[in-house]
């Protein structure tokens, strides 16, 4: 429920108490009703296919040029395993990412959902999203459209760095890295995995999904996979009020479709990937579609020159049509075709068992071409534009009796805005079941093609981050982690639409940032698990007026200061499982215009909300499963809000949604035998 500006003049000091009380009561109910089953642990239910001790030591790839585990990796990490994804009840990537501490979503133009990280608006190029190593951020603005984009069945693992990654990945990894790893041919093992599902909201059809994947290993060192998915429907069936105060049914103005094709070949240490992704959605006024099409391909190889020295060359190519407007003449001037070529080489040298050095370089070329004959780029008054970037990076990993020390540096030189230098220092220590991380990182957000075109004087924003994490594992069943963070962003790149015309513009402001903490706890038994997380942030050195909330000098727009999630899974029998996810958000704020003529902005707020989902799965046979559930049982108005003073209407969250899903597996003779 929303309220007026006057309604938020008094601070709600009890928000955190209310949120934690709800979590406590929900947890008590589930533990009490299921205690006898947890105590017995007689059924070998493979909800998680490894003990918790092995789970916290799982190998991760995202945080460093060398693989490490969760406890010793030089980053604050969340890993969602295949089994956790299967039993989450989530049908899309965005639903999974809502479970990540510090991650929230916001409203952008043209029905697009953006991302917030630890309170900071990260939508435009301040995070990096990878699928099997392919960058999915579009290269005009650096965005990715999250809502109903990418289904979950073919995902093997998601690694999320909840902090900077520029030393490893460059200028789109300022605040986070989302690394999605899909199943390969060896994982599929000659089987065909497929599923269909359908959702209903407000007693009307909402959306449908279909997924299929096949893969096999022809020889010991050769495997391949083919996977495809398609989903279509409406983003929501809720009623919304537009800027001109007209009420419309979102059912009639939020149609979307998303098709995805993934082909992968692995031969020894040679990997080839081809990915096609097409996503389109209607804008709020239902005038045409905005689409994000992309073709991505990559070839990488690892070659051992000796026992100590390994070379890793790669080349990647992408072809994108980002923010491409169809049947919407007023915005077709945005339409471009973008191409990116990225190549690199790194050398990994193991001096001994305790010291490893990595050094490498890369070259990147971004090119864009306007698709309307009368439209040219502001920078050069031509239809084509391109920028080049060269990078050098180095990393040293030292394992001493006092702990792991990771030292990294990166230098980028861009053809337009020149050079950037960022270091990273990480110390990690693990003593039996306790671990400690102390991290200092510099990162940056590189200006994208459109940032530079709208403002040739734009500079990269520079980020300094302090992080500390500690965790403990108790009796291989209960794991707790707590991390603190302090983020300072200098010269932030701010999007400010012209107050009269709405035309795009970008400027560098002075400083912004956030500080806070994140807590996670997980209890795992043979028949299920309970996972609880809580995240808190407040403003840190913010001088950006467009980010200020008049009634709360500690909060940013759109994102709750207090946010908690509760995930529960329980096996009632070997065939029947029950689960629930809940997300609790404190009061949130935004600014909107009262009419479509861009009148003066007014602050509004949304009261604390709780989105509670329940789901169940029944194994009919070994190769057939039925699943279903209810999302947002209480019909909470957890709408997506604009994080800056852009004046956009909130994008409605789904109301109560009923869904059903059928999953089946066609097993090969190899896997059966």
């Amino acid at each position: 429920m929303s309220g007026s500006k006057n309604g938020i003049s008094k601070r709600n000091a009890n928000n955190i108490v209310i949120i934690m009380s709800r979590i406590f009561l929900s947890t008590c109910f589930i533990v009490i009703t299921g205690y006898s089953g947890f105590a017995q642990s007689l059924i070998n239910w493979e909800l998680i296919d490894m003990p918790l001790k092995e789970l916290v030591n799982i190998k991760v790839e995202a945080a460093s040029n060398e693989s490490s585990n969760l406890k010793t990796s030089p980053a604050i990490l969340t890993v969602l395993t295949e089994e956790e994804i299967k039993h989450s009840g989530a049908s899309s990537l965005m639903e999974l990412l809502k479970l990540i501490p510090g991650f929230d979503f916001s409203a952008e133009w043209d029905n697009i959902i953006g991302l917030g990280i630890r309170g900071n608006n990260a939508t435009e190029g301040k995070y990096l999203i990878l699928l099997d190593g392919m960058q999915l951020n579009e290269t005009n603005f650096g965005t990715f459209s999250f809502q109903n984009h990418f289904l979950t069945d073919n995902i093997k693992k998601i690694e999320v760095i909840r902090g900077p990654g520029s030393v490893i990945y460059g200028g789109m990894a300022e605040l986070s890295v989302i690394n999605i790893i899909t199943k390969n041919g060896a994982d599929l093992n000659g089987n065909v995995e497929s599923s269909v599902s359908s959702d209903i909201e407000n007693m009307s059809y909402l959306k449908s999904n279909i997924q299929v994947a096949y893969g096999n290993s022809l020889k010991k060192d050769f495997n391949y996979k083919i996977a495809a998915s398609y989903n279509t429907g409406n983003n929501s069936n809720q009623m919304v009020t537009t800027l001109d105060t007209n009420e419309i049914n979102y059912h009639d103005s939020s149609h979307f479709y998303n098709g995805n094709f993934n082909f992968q070949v692995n031969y020894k240490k040679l990997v080839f990937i081809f990915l096609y992704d097409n996503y389109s959605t209607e804008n709020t006024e239902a005038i045409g579609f905005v689409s994000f099409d992309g073709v991505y391909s990559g070839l990488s190889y690892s070659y051992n020159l000796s026992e100590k020295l390994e070379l890793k060359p790669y080349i990647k190519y992408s072809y994108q049509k980002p923010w491409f407007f169809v049947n919407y003449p007023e915005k077709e001037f945005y339409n471009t075709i973008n191409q990116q070529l990225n190549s690199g080489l790194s050398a990994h040298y193991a001096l001994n068992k305790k010291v490893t050095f990595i050094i490498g370089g890369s070259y990147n070329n971004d090119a864009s071409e306007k698709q309307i004959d009368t439209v040219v780029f502001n920078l050069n008054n031509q239809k084509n534009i391109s920028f080049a970037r060269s990078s050098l990076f180095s990393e040293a990993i030292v394992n001493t009796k006092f702990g792991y020390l990771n030292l990294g540096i990166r230098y980028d030189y861009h053809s337009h805005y020149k050079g950037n230098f960022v270091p990273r220092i990480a110390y990690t220590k693990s003593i039996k079941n306790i671990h400690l991380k102390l991290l200092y990182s510099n990162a940056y957000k590189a200006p994208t093609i459109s940032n530079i075109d709208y403002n040739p004087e734009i500079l990269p924003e520079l980020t300094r981050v302090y992080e500390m994490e500690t965790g403990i594992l108790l009796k291989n069943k209960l794991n707790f982690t707590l991390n603190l963070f302090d983020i300072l962003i200098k010269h932030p790149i701010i999007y400010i639409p012209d107050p009269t015309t709405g035309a795009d513009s970008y400027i560098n402001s002075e400083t912004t940032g956030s500080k806070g903490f994140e807590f996670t706890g997980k209890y795992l038994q043979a028949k299920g698990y309970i996972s609880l997380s809580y995240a808190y942030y407040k403003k840190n050195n913010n001088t950006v007026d467009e980010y200020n909330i008049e009634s709360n000098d500690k909060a940013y727009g759109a994102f709750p200061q207090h946010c908690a999630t509760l995930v529960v899974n329980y096996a009632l029998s070997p065939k029947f499982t029950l689960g629930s996810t809940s997300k609790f958000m404190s009061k949130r704020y935004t600014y909107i215009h009262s009419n479509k003529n861009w009148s003066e902005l007014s602050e509004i707020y949304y009261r604390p909300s709780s989105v509670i989902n329940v789901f169940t799965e029944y194994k009919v046979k070994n190769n057939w499963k039925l699943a279903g559930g209810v999302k947002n049982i209480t019909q909470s108005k957890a709408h997506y809000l604009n994080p800056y003073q852009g004046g956009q209407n909130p994008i409605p969250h789904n109301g109560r949604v009923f869904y059903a899903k059928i999953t089946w597996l066609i097993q090969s003779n190899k896997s059966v035998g």
Side-chain angles (χ1 to χ4, degrees), residues 118-120 487 512-515 536-545 547-550 552-557 561:
R118 293 171 164 176
N120 300 284
I487 303 170
T512 187
S514 65
K515 59 174 63 176
Y536 168 79
Y537 83 87
K538 68 176 182 179
K539 282 181 181 176
N540 184 27
N541 295 308
N542 180 64
T543 62
V544 182
D545 290 339
Y547 288 172
N548 282 329
I549 300 298
E550 182 179 344
N552 188 340
D553 60 3
K554 295 181 179 179
Y556 288 118
Q561 283 190 270

PDB file of all heavy atoms in Angstrom, residues 118-120 487 512-515 536-545 547-550 552-557 561:
ATOM      1  N   ARG A 118      23.073  -3.452  -2.450  1.00  0.00           N
ATOM      2  CA  ARG A 118      23.431  -2.837  -1.167  1.00  0.00           C
ATOM      3  C   ARG A 118      22.955  -1.398  -1.090  1.00  0.00           C
ATOM      4  O   ARG A 118      23.648  -0.513  -0.602  1.00  0.00           O
ATOM      5  CB  ARG A 118      24.936  -2.938  -0.934  1.00  0.00           C
ATOM      6  CG  ARG A 118      25.422  -4.371  -0.726  1.00  0.00           C
ATOM      7  CD  ARG A 118      26.918  -4.480  -0.710  1.00  0.00           C
ATOM      8  NE  ARG A 118      27.368  -5.763  -0.146  1.00  0.00           N
ATOM      9  CZ  ARG A 118      28.636  -6.151  -0.091  1.00  0.00           C
ATOM     10  NH1 ARG A 118      29.583  -5.370  -0.575  1.00  0.00           N
ATOM     11  NH2 ARG A 118      28.961  -7.308   0.435  1.00  0.00           N
ATOM     12  N   GLY A 119      21.750  -1.149  -1.622  1.00  0.00           N
ATOM     13  CA  GLY A 119      21.145   0.175  -1.581  1.00  0.00           C
ATOM     14  C   GLY A 119      21.482   1.070  -2.744  1.00  0.00           C
ATOM     15  O   GLY A 119      20.833   2.096  -2.950  1.00  0.00           O
ATOM     16  N   ASN A 120      22.499   0.719  -3.525  1.00  0.00           N
ATOM     17  CA  ASN A 120      22.949   1.563  -4.634  1.00  0.00           C
ATOM     18  C   ASN A 120      22.245   1.176  -5.933  1.00  0.00           C
ATOM     19  O   ASN A 120      22.116  -0.011  -6.258  1.00  0.00           O
ATOM     20  CB  ASN A 120      24.461   1.405  -4.817  1.00  0.00           C
ATOM     21  CG  ASN A 120      25.241   1.795  -3.579  1.00  0.00           C
ATOM     22  OD1 ASN A 120      25.415   2.964  -3.283  1.00  0.00           O
ATOM     23  ND2 ASN A 120      25.700   0.781  -2.836  1.00  0.00           N
ATOM     24  N   ILE A 487      31.060   1.275   1.170  1.00  0.00           N
ATOM     25  CA  ILE A 487      31.231   1.577  -0.251  1.00  0.00           C
ATOM     26  C   ILE A 487      31.230   3.087  -0.456  1.00  0.00           C
ATOM     27  O   ILE A 487      30.302   3.781  -0.028  1.00  0.00           O
ATOM     28  CB  ILE A 487      30.095   0.949  -1.100  1.00  0.00           C
ATOM     29  CG1 ILE A 487      30.040  -0.562  -0.890  1.00  0.00           C
ATOM     30  CG2 ILE A 487      30.267   1.290  -2.577  1.00  0.00           C
ATOM     31  CD1 ILE A 487      28.808  -1.211  -1.508  1.00  0.00           C
ATOM     32  N   THR A 512      28.793   9.210  -3.760  1.00  0.00           N
ATOM     33  CA  THR A 512      27.652   8.475  -3.225  1.00  0.00           C
ATOM     34  C   THR A 512      28.186   7.164  -2.658  1.00  0.00           C
ATOM     35  O   THR A 512      29.390   6.920  -2.674  1.00  0.00           O
ATOM     36  CB  THR A 512      26.554   8.252  -4.288  1.00  0.00           C
ATOM     37  OG1 THR A 512      25.396   7.676  -3.668  1.00  0.00           O
ATOM     38  CG2 THR A 512      27.037   7.341  -5.391  1.00  0.00           C
ATOM     39  N   GLY A 513      27.313   6.302  -2.179  1.00  0.00           N
ATOM     40  CA  GLY A 513      27.760   5.031  -1.626  1.00  0.00           C
ATOM     41  C   GLY A 513      26.850   4.562  -0.511  1.00  0.00           C
ATOM     42  O   GLY A 513      25.802   5.165  -0.229  1.00  0.00           O
ATOM     43  N   SER A 514      27.250   3.481   0.140  1.00  0.00           N
ATOM     44  CA  SER A 514      26.452   2.918   1.226  1.00  0.00           C
ATOM     45  C   SER A 514      27.358   2.155   2.173  1.00  0.00           C
ATOM     46  O   SER A 514      28.491   1.795   1.839  1.00  0.00           O
ATOM     47  CB  SER A 514      25.357   1.990   0.672  1.00  0.00           C
ATOM     48  OG  SER A 514      25.933   0.860   0.030  1.00  0.00           O
ATOM     49  N   LYS A 515      26.841   1.898   3.368  1.00  0.00           N
ATOM     50  CA  LYS A 515      27.520   1.035   4.322  1.00  0.00           C
ATOM     51  C   LYS A 515      26.457   0.227   5.050  1.00  0.00           C
ATOM     52  O   LYS A 515      25.293   0.627   5.143  1.00  0.00           O
ATOM     53  CB  LYS A 515      28.362   1.841   5.308  1.00  0.00           C
ATOM     54  CG  LYS A 515      27.596   2.850   6.137  1.00  0.00           C
ATOM     55  CD  LYS A 515      28.475   3.519   7.191  1.00  0.00           C
ATOM     56  CE  LYS A 515      29.586   4.319   6.561  1.00  0.00           C
ATOM     57  NZ  LYS A 515      30.403   5.052   7.574  1.00  0.00           N
ATOM     58  N   TYR A 536      21.098  -4.994   5.674  1.00  0.00           N
ATOM     59  CA  TYR A 536      20.816  -3.612   6.070  1.00  0.00           C
ATOM     60  C   TYR A 536      21.832  -2.689   5.414  1.00  0.00           C
ATOM     61  O   TYR A 536      23.020  -3.010   5.301  1.00  0.00           O
ATOM     62  CB  TYR A 536      20.916  -3.450   7.585  1.00  0.00           C
ATOM     63  CG  TYR A 536      20.931  -2.004   8.027  1.00  0.00           C
ATOM     64  CD1 TYR A 536      19.750  -1.272   8.096  1.00  0.00           C
ATOM     65  CD2 TYR A 536      22.132  -1.367   8.363  1.00  0.00           C
ATOM     66  CE1 TYR A 536      19.772   0.068   8.486  1.00  0.00           C
ATOM     67  CE2 TYR A 536      22.152  -0.042   8.755  1.00  0.00           C
ATOM     68  CZ  TYR A 536      20.970   0.674   8.816  1.00  0.00           C
ATOM     69  OH  TYR A 536      20.983   1.994   9.190  1.00  0.00           O
ATOM     70  N   TYR A 537      21.359  -1.538   4.949  1.00  0.00           N
ATOM     71  CA  TYR A 537      22.270  -0.524   4.415  1.00  0.00           C
ATOM     72  C   TYR A 537      21.800   0.852   4.866  1.00  0.00           C
ATOM     73  O   TYR A 537      20.641   1.055   5.252  1.00  0.00           O
ATOM     74  CB  TYR A 537      22.307  -0.567   2.881  1.00  0.00           C
ATOM     75  CG  TYR A 537      21.164   0.209   2.248  1.00  0.00           C
ATOM     76  CD1 TYR A 537      21.280   1.575   1.997  1.00  0.00           C
ATOM     77  CD2 TYR A 537      19.951  -0.407   1.952  1.00  0.00           C
ATOM     78  CE1 TYR A 537      20.224   2.311   1.460  1.00  0.00           C
ATOM     79  CE2 TYR A 537      18.896   0.306   1.422  1.00  0.00           C
ATOM     80  CZ  TYR A 537      19.035   1.665   1.181  1.00  0.00           C
ATOM     81  OH  TYR A 537      17.993   2.392   0.670  1.00  0.00           O
ATOM     82  N   LYS A 538      22.695   1.848   4.797  1.00  0.00           N
ATOM     83  CA  LYS A 538      22.326   3.247   4.921  1.00  0.00           C
ATOM     84  C   LYS A 538      23.234   4.060   3.999  1.00  0.00           C
ATOM     85  O   LYS A 538      24.283   3.590   3.565  1.00  0.00           O
ATOM     86  CB  LYS A 538      22.433   3.739   6.359  1.00  0.00           C
ATOM     87  CG  LYS A 538      23.839   3.809   6.912  1.00  0.00           C
ATOM     88  CD  LYS A 538      23.821   4.404   8.322  1.00  0.00           C
ATOM     89  CE  LYS A 538      25.233   4.539   8.881  1.00  0.00           C
ATOM     90  NZ  LYS A 538      25.234   5.141  10.234  1.00  0.00           N
ATOM     91  N   LYS A 539      22.818   5.273   3.690  1.00  0.00           N
ATOM     92  CA  LYS A 539      23.591   6.153   2.820  1.00  0.00           C
ATOM     93  C   LYS A 539      24.996   6.359   3.368  1.00  0.00           C
ATOM     94  O   LYS A 539      25.213   6.388   4.575  1.00  0.00           O
ATOM     95  CB  LYS A 539      22.913   7.515   2.701  1.00  0.00           C
ATOM     96  CG  LYS A 539      21.725   7.589   1.777  1.00  0.00           C
ATOM     97  CD  LYS A 539      21.183   9.009   1.764  1.00  0.00           C
ATOM     98  CE  LYS A 539      19.968   9.142   0.881  1.00  0.00           C
ATOM     99  NZ  LYS A 539      19.391  10.503   0.954  1.00  0.00           N
ATOM    100  N   ASN A 540      25.929   6.559   2.425  1.00  0.00           N
ATOM    101  CA  ASN A 540      27.312   6.838   2.809  1.00  0.00           C
ATOM    102  C   ASN A 540      27.866   7.934   1.904  1.00  0.00           C
ATOM    103  O   ASN A 540      28.045   7.722   0.705  1.00  0.00           O
ATOM    104  CB  ASN A 540      28.162   5.567   2.684  1.00  0.00           C
ATOM    105  CG  ASN A 540      29.584   5.764   3.156  1.00  0.00           C
ATOM    106  OD1 ASN A 540      29.865   6.602   4.005  1.00  0.00           O
ATOM    107  ND2 ASN A 540      30.503   4.982   2.602  1.00  0.00           N
ATOM    108  N   ASN A 541      28.081   9.122   2.442  1.00  0.00           N
ATOM    109  CA  ASN A 541      28.699  10.239   1.711  1.00  0.00           C
ATOM    110  C   ASN A 541      27.970  10.575   0.413  1.00  0.00           C
ATOM    111  O   ASN A 541      28.599  10.853  -0.611  1.00  0.00           O
ATOM    112  CB  ASN A 541      30.167   9.920   1.401  1.00  0.00           C
ATOM    113  CG  ASN A 541      31.002   9.806   2.651  1.00  0.00           C
ATOM    114  OD1 ASN A 541      31.000  10.699   3.495  1.00  0.00           O
ATOM    115  ND2 ASN A 541      31.704   8.691   2.794  1.00  0.00           N
ATOM    116  N   ASN A 542      26.642  10.582   0.454  1.00  0.00           N
ATOM    117  CA  ASN A 542      25.892  10.885  -0.766  1.00  0.00           C
ATOM    118  C   ASN A 542      25.742  12.392  -0.962  1.00  0.00           C
ATOM    119  O   ASN A 542      25.296  13.117  -0.077  1.00  0.00           O
ATOM    120  CB  ASN A 542      24.501  10.260  -0.711  1.00  0.00           C
ATOM    121  CG  ASN A 542      23.706  10.561  -1.972  1.00  0.00           C
ATOM    122  OD1 ASN A 542      24.076  10.130  -3.054  1.00  0.00           O
ATOM    123  ND2 ASN A 542      22.633  11.323  -1.834  1.00  0.00           N
ATOM    124  N   THR A 543      26.140  12.876  -2.154  1.00  0.00           N
ATOM    125  CA  THR A 543      25.938  14.277  -2.536  1.00  0.00           C
ATOM    126  C   THR A 543      25.060  14.398  -3.784  1.00  0.00           C
ATOM    127  O   THR A 543      24.950  15.482  -4.345  1.00  0.00           O
ATOM    128  CB  THR A 543      27.295  14.960  -2.811  1.00  0.00           C
ATOM    129  OG1 THR A 543      27.945  14.310  -3.909  1.00  0.00           O
ATOM    130  CG2 THR A 543      28.180  14.915  -1.574  1.00  0.00           C
ATOM    131  N   VAL A 544      24.459  13.288  -4.213  1.00  0.00           N
ATOM    132  CA  VAL A 544      23.622  13.285  -5.413  1.00  0.00           C
ATOM    133  C   VAL A 544      22.197  13.645  -5.014  1.00  0.00           C
ATOM    134  O   VAL A 544      21.501  12.847  -4.366  1.00  0.00           O
ATOM    135  CB  VAL A 544      23.658  11.910  -6.110  1.00  0.00           C
ATOM    136  CG1 VAL A 544      22.816  11.943  -7.385  1.00  0.00           C
ATOM    137  CG2 VAL A 544      25.088  11.502  -6.410  1.00  0.00           C
ATOM    138  N   ASP A 545      21.757  14.835  -5.376  1.00  0.00           N
ATOM    139  CA  ASP A 545      20.425  15.293  -4.992  1.00  0.00           C
ATOM    140  C   ASP A 545      19.337  14.357  -5.513  1.00  0.00           C
ATOM    141  O   ASP A 545      18.321  14.134  -4.843  1.00  0.00           O
ATOM    142  CB  ASP A 545      20.178  16.708  -5.515  1.00  0.00           C
ATOM    143  CG  ASP A 545      21.022  17.755  -4.792  1.00  0.00           C
ATOM    144  OD1 ASP A 545      21.469  17.470  -3.659  1.00  0.00           O
ATOM    145  OD2 ASP A 545      21.243  18.840  -5.372  1.00  0.00           O
ATOM    146  N   TYR A 547      19.282  11.304  -5.715  1.00  0.00           N
ATOM    147  CA  TYR A 547      19.165  10.072  -4.927  1.00  0.00           C
ATOM    148  C   TYR A 547      18.581  10.317  -3.535  1.00  0.00           C
ATOM    149  O   TYR A 547      18.305   9.362  -2.804  1.00  0.00           O
ATOM    150  CB  TYR A 547      20.537   9.413  -4.764  1.00  0.00           C
ATOM    151  CG  TYR A 547      21.089   8.778  -6.018  1.00  0.00           C
ATOM    152  CD1 TYR A 547      22.390   8.292  -6.052  1.00  0.00           C
ATOM    153  CD2 TYR A 547      20.320   8.654  -7.180  1.00  0.00           C
ATOM    154  CE1 TYR A 547      22.920   7.696  -7.191  1.00  0.00           C
ATOM    155  CE2 TYR A 547      20.833   8.075  -8.321  1.00  0.00           C
ATOM    156  CZ  TYR A 547      22.136   7.598  -8.327  1.00  0.00           C
ATOM    157  OH  TYR A 547      22.650   7.012  -9.451  1.00  0.00           O
ATOM    158  N   ASN A 548      18.433  11.592  -3.138  1.00  0.00           N
ATOM    159  CA  ASN A 548      17.991  11.905  -1.782  1.00  0.00           C
ATOM    160  C   ASN A 548      16.502  11.641  -1.594  1.00  0.00           C
ATOM    161  O   ASN A 548      15.695  11.828  -2.518  1.00  0.00           O
ATOM    162  CB  ASN A 548      18.289  13.365  -1.446  1.00  0.00           C
ATOM    163  CG  ASN A 548      19.750  13.583  -1.103  1.00  0.00           C
ATOM    164  OD1 ASN A 548      20.407  12.699  -0.564  1.00  0.00           O
ATOM    165  ND2 ASN A 548      20.258  14.765  -1.413  1.00  0.00           N
ATOM    166  N   ILE A 549      16.141  11.229  -0.382  1.00  0.00           N
ATOM    167  CA  ILE A 549      14.753  11.101   0.047  1.00  0.00           C
ATOM    168  C   ILE A 549      14.533  12.131   1.149  1.00  0.00           C
ATOM    169  O   ILE A 549      15.185  12.082   2.200  1.00  0.00           O
ATOM    170  CB  ILE A 549      14.454   9.680   0.567  1.00  0.00           C
ATOM    171  CG1 ILE A 549      14.706   8.651  -0.544  1.00  0.00           C
ATOM    172  CG2 ILE A 549      13.027   9.582   1.081  1.00  0.00           C
ATOM    173  CD1 ILE A 549      13.839   8.808  -1.768  1.00  0.00           C
ATOM    174  N   GLU A 550      13.633  13.057   0.898  1.00  0.00           N
ATOM    175  CA  GLU A 550      13.474  14.195   1.807  1.00  0.00           C
ATOM    176  C   GLU A 550      13.122  13.760   3.223  1.00  0.00           C
ATOM    177  O   GLU A 550      13.619  14.325   4.202  1.00  0.00           O
ATOM    178  CB  GLU A 550      12.383  15.130   1.266  1.00  0.00           C
ATOM    179  CG  GLU A 550      12.167  16.381   2.109  1.00  0.00           C
ATOM    180  CD  GLU A 550      11.099  17.286   1.537  1.00  0.00           C
ATOM    181  OE1 GLU A 550      10.743  17.098   0.350  1.00  0.00           O
ATOM    182  OE2 GLU A 550      10.613  18.163   2.276  1.00  0.00           O
ATOM    183  N   ASN A 552      13.713  10.845   4.728  1.00  0.00           N
ATOM    184  CA  ASN A 552      14.604   9.860   5.354  1.00  0.00           C
ATOM    185  C   ASN A 552      16.010  10.077   4.820  1.00  0.00           C
ATOM    186  O   ASN A 552      16.319   9.700   3.686  1.00  0.00           O
ATOM    187  CB  ASN A 552      14.122   8.435   5.045  1.00  0.00           C
ATOM    188  CG  ASN A 552      14.888   7.379   5.822  1.00  0.00           C
ATOM    189  OD1 ASN A 552      15.999   7.612   6.304  1.00  0.00           O
ATOM    190  ND2 ASN A 552      14.299   6.198   5.950  1.00  0.00           N
ATOM    191  N   ASP A 553      16.867  10.670   5.632  1.00  0.00           N
ATOM    192  CA  ASP A 553      18.211  11.011   5.166  1.00  0.00           C
ATOM    193  C   ASP A 553      19.171   9.825   5.197  1.00  0.00           C
ATOM    194  O   ASP A 553      20.346   9.963   4.876  1.00  0.00           O
ATOM    195  CB  ASP A 553      18.790  12.165   5.980  1.00  0.00           C
ATOM    196  CG  ASP A 553      18.892  11.837   7.468  1.00  0.00           C
ATOM    197  OD1 ASP A 553      18.574  10.697   7.871  1.00  0.00           O
ATOM    198  OD2 ASP A 553      19.291  12.740   8.231  1.00  0.00           O
ATOM    199  N   LYS A 554      18.675   8.621   5.556  1.00  0.00           N
ATOM    200  CA  LYS A 554      19.530   7.437   5.571  1.00  0.00           C
ATOM    201  C   LYS A 554      19.212   6.465   4.438  1.00  0.00           C
ATOM    202  O   LYS A 554      19.965   5.516   4.206  1.00  0.00           O
ATOM    203  CB  LYS A 554      19.396   6.703   6.915  1.00  0.00           C
ATOM    204  CG  LYS A 554      19.908   7.510   8.103  1.00  0.00           C
ATOM    205  CD  LYS A 554      19.781   6.719   9.395  1.00  0.00           C
ATOM    206  CE  LYS A 554      20.312   7.528  10.573  1.00  0.00           C
ATOM    207  NZ  LYS A 554      20.181   6.768  11.851  1.00  0.00           N
ATOM    208  N   ALA A 555      18.113   6.689   3.738  1.00  0.00           N
ATOM    209  CA  ALA A 555      17.650   5.732   2.728  1.00  0.00           C
ATOM    210  C   ALA A 555      17.779   6.306   1.327  1.00  0.00           C
ATOM    211  O   ALA A 555      17.724   7.519   1.111  1.00  0.00           O
ATOM    212  CB  ALA A 555      16.201   5.339   2.994  1.00  0.00           C
ATOM    213  N   TYR A 556      17.951   5.392   0.355  1.00  0.00           N
ATOM    214  CA  TYR A 556      17.866   5.727  -1.062  1.00  0.00           C
ATOM    215  C   TYR A 556      16.485   5.347  -1.591  1.00  0.00           C
ATOM    216  O   TYR A 556      15.741   4.578  -0.953  1.00  0.00           O
ATOM    217  CB  TYR A 556      18.930   4.985  -1.863  1.00  0.00           C
ATOM    218  CG  TYR A 556      20.336   5.490  -1.645  1.00  0.00           C
ATOM    219  CD1 TYR A 556      21.317   4.663  -1.097  1.00  0.00           C
ATOM    220  CD2 TYR A 556      20.701   6.790  -1.994  1.00  0.00           C
ATOM    221  CE1 TYR A 556      22.612   5.114  -0.906  1.00  0.00           C
ATOM    222  CE2 TYR A 556      21.987   7.257  -1.802  1.00  0.00           C
ATOM    223  CZ  TYR A 556      22.945   6.419  -1.256  1.00  0.00           C
ATOM    224  OH  TYR A 556      24.220   6.880  -1.071  1.00  0.00           O
ATOM    225  N   GLY A 557      16.151   5.871  -2.770  1.00  0.00           N
ATOM    226  CA  GLY A 557      14.880   5.532  -3.377  1.00  0.00           C
ATOM    227  C   GLY A 557      14.827   4.073  -3.800  1.00  0.00           C
ATOM    228  O   GLY A 557      15.838   3.456  -4.132  1.00  0.00           O
ATOM    229  N   GLN A 561      15.794  -0.379   3.388  1.00  0.00           N
ATOM    230  CA  GLN A 561      16.980  -0.415   4.240  1.00  0.00           C
ATOM    231  C   GLN A 561      17.112  -1.745   4.965  1.00  0.00           C
ATOM    232  O   GLN A 561      18.219  -2.216   5.228  1.00  0.00           O
ATOM    233  CB  GLN A 561      16.935   0.720   5.261  1.00  0.00           C
ATOM    234  CG  GLN A 561      17.293   2.079   4.710  1.00  0.00           C
ATOM    235  CD  GLN A 561      17.469   3.090   5.815  1.00  0.00           C
ATOM    236  OE1 GLN A 561      16.519   3.751   6.211  1.00  0.00           O
ATOM    237  NE2 GLN A 561      18.676   3.195   6.337  1.00  0.00           N
TER     238      GLN A 561
END
